Amino acid sequence: MKELLINTDEPYRVLVGRGLLRDMGQWLRAAGAPAARALIVTDTHVGPLYAQTVADALSAGDCAADIFTVPAGEEYKTPETLISICRELARLEYTRRDLVVALGGGVVGDMAGFASAVYQRGMRFVQCPTTLLSAVDASVGGKTAVDLPEGKNMIGAFHQPSLVVCDTGTFATLPPQRMSDGAAEIIKHAAIADEALFAQMRSEDWQRTPDDIVARNVAIKRSFVIGDERDQGKRQMLNFGHTIGHAVEAWSGYTLSHGQSVAIGMVMEMRAARRLGLSGVHEAPMVEALRANHLPVSTEATPEVLLRYALHDKKRQQRQISLTVLREWGKAELVSVELDDFLRFIEAGGGA
Ligand code: MG
């Protein structure tokens, strides 16, 4: 098992290893986060596979467990589902001293995390990511939210978990596409912070050592989150590929996954930065790494359409857009592009 400490205002541990869910009660006690009761929030995909295992493990550790299952899928990451979780907590008379356990991918983590941030003005929660994507990205950092019809993650809260337990054995049941989605964020982390990891991602061999890969990515994410928990500065570098990526994702009506969209976004942002003299790093190795992991590298969407979607993005700040560019592989910096120049930037990112 690998163990990392996340030194936020209230530090917490990330445990990474195969089969960890079977000993949940033990990890809670070891983390100094014992609870009398825990509501396991999961979805219709993950619940049938692992919820009972976690409930039994909690009971064995003297923590009474309830299970609440929400419908699977981003389209259910809504205020309605959030309220349903809060009402279940209320119906079962949970208090602030009890615990929420988020068991699932990023959608479940975002919603259960948000519910625990607002129920009775805040209670503790534990993240148990069951997808590669949520393990390397969303489970660390404390961002929680639900979507509105007007846009993704429009209401939410910064709320750090008390513990993250990543059982890499759960990845075995993921469809290959979901592994690729995780690979996109790993390649992102590698490009901006770890040249050796980037080299490793140029084939699929990394899948043989998931514990090591997850732990390294959590360490990278930690390095950007610590000192910038509220996303005002260096944490924004984690948005590499996401400005155009979010636009591509929205344009596709979410038929492209987040990972696929970010893959396209990274290539386009790199190409544009190079062509406009903002970065000296060529995007060819990026294209190669993404292709090796079965990710797309281009889109049919026109620059004008992408601009329209990008302008809806909440990360837009006044008249400038903040973008991450590579100084070299494994090193990144933030640059600002005038809003008036952003169409030209997107145009420069197209082609091949
Ligand atoms: Mg992302």
Side-chain angles (χ1 to χ4, degrees), residues 231-262:
D231 210 358
Q232 303 297 310
K234 66 180 176 179
R235 185 170 182 168
Q236 292 179 17
M237 282 192 221
L238 295 169
N239 289 327
F240 179 50
H242 281 59
T243 303
I244 292 181
H246 280 150
V248 170
E249 193 175 4
W251 162 79
S252 78
Y254 299 93
T255 56
L256 286 173
S257 69
H258 182 67
Q260 291 172 322
S261 306
V262 168

Side-chain angles (χ1 to χ4, degrees), residues 13-350:
R13 283 175 201 286
V14 180
L15 311 181
V16 184
R18 178 174 286 268
L20 296 188
L21 291 180
R22 285 194 294 270
D23 297 309
M24 272 300 289
Q26 184 185 325
W27 310 132
L28 280 184
R29 275 200 310 277
R37 305 179 72 189
L39 182 69
I40 300 166
V41 179
T42 187
D43 70 22
T44 46
H45 287 160
V46 176
L49 296 171
Y50 308 115
Q52 197 56 51
T53 302
V54 174
D56 292 345
L58 289 171
S59 303
D62 292 324
C63 174
D66 299 294
I67 298 171
F68 187 63
T69 307
V70 301
E74 175 89 27
E75 64 267 39
Y76 296 102
K77 194 175 135 180
T78 59
E80 289 73 24
T81 313
L82 170 76
I83 296 299
S84 76
I85 298 169
C86 292
R87 290 193 65 186
E88 182 71 358
L89 288 164
R91 190 181 72 79
L92 297 171
E93 300 181 348
Y94 271 68
T95 73
R96 211 177 288 171
R97 289 183 304 278
D98 300 321
L99 191 69
V100 166
V101 175
L103 175 68
V107 172
V108 163
D110 267 15
M111 284 196 298
F114 190 23
S116 70
V118 295
Y119 179 75
Q120 294 194 355
R121 301 193 182 87
M123 60 192 291
R124 294 168 304 147
F125 84 116
V126 172
Q127 289 270 25
C128 299
T130 58
T131 65
L132 177 65
L133 178 58
S134 58
V136 300
D137 191 3
S139 68
V140 176
K143 283 189 179 178
T144 72
V146 296
D147 301 339
L148 291 178
E150 287 77 9
K152 285 182 55 155
N153 300 326
M154 293 296 275
I155 48 176
F158 288 97
H159 185 48
Q160 303 289 344
S162 301
L163 175 69
V164 180
V165 178
C166 175
D167 183 340
T168 51
T170 60
F171 302 165
T173 50
L174 288 179
Q177 151 89 61
R178 304 296 299 278
M179 288 301 278
S180 292
D181 287 339
E185 296 284 358
I186 296 172
I187 290 169
K188 178 196 78 177
H189 282 153
I192 64 174
D194 189 338
E195 189 184 7
L197 179 61
F198 185 79
Q200 211 180 328
M201 294 306 291
R202 291 172 79 165
S203 80
E204 282 185 287
D205 291 352
W206 60 270
Q207 293 198 16
R208 280 187 259 154
T209 52
D211 294 10
D212 175 60
I213 289 288
V214 170
R216 284 165 75 185
N217 276 274
V218 168
I220 292 170
K221 176 111 190 218
R222 172 177 63 185
S223 71
F224 285 97
V225 171
I226 297 299
D228 187 20
E229 288 171 42
R230 297 202 166 237
D231 210 358
Q232 303 297 310
K234 66 180 176 179
R235 185 170 182 168
Q236 292 179 17
M237 282 192 221
L238 295 169
N239 289 327
F240 179 50
H242 281 59
T243 303
I244 292 181
H246 280 150
V248 170
E249 193 175 4
W251 162 79
S252 78
Y254 299 93
T255 56
L256 286 173
S257 69
H258 182 67
Q260 291 172 322
S261 306
V262 168
I264 294 166
M266 287 192 287
V267 172
M268 290 185 68
E269 290 182 18
M270 282 193 74
R271 185 182 290 124
R274 174 177 61 81
R275 286 184 174 160
L276 298 177
L278 299 168
S279 166
V281 181
H282 201 285
E283 68 279 7
M286 173 60 76
V287 169
E288 194 186 309
L290 295 171
R291 285 206 173 121
N293 288 280
H294 315 287
L295 287 157
V297 295
S298 64
T299 174
E300 300 291 307
T302 64
E304 289 76 13
V305 166
L306 291 181
L307 177 70
R308 206 165 65 231
Y309 282 105
L311 294 188
H312 271 97
D313 199 299
K314 67 175 160 40
K315 294 184 178 71
R316 176 164 55 96
Q317 292 181 346
Q318 293 106 28
R319 300 301 300 164
Q320 295 194 323
I321 289 184
S322 172
L323 290 161
T324 306
V325 301
L326 300 191
R327 250 189 301 146
E328 56 190 84
W329 289 106
K331 288 205 170 59
E333 61 189 336
L334 288 170
V335 298
S336 289
V337 172
E338 296 292 323
L339 205 53
D340 296 335
D341 294 332
F342 195 54
L343 179 61
R344 204 160 62 89
F345 184 88
I346 300 174
E347 282 168 348

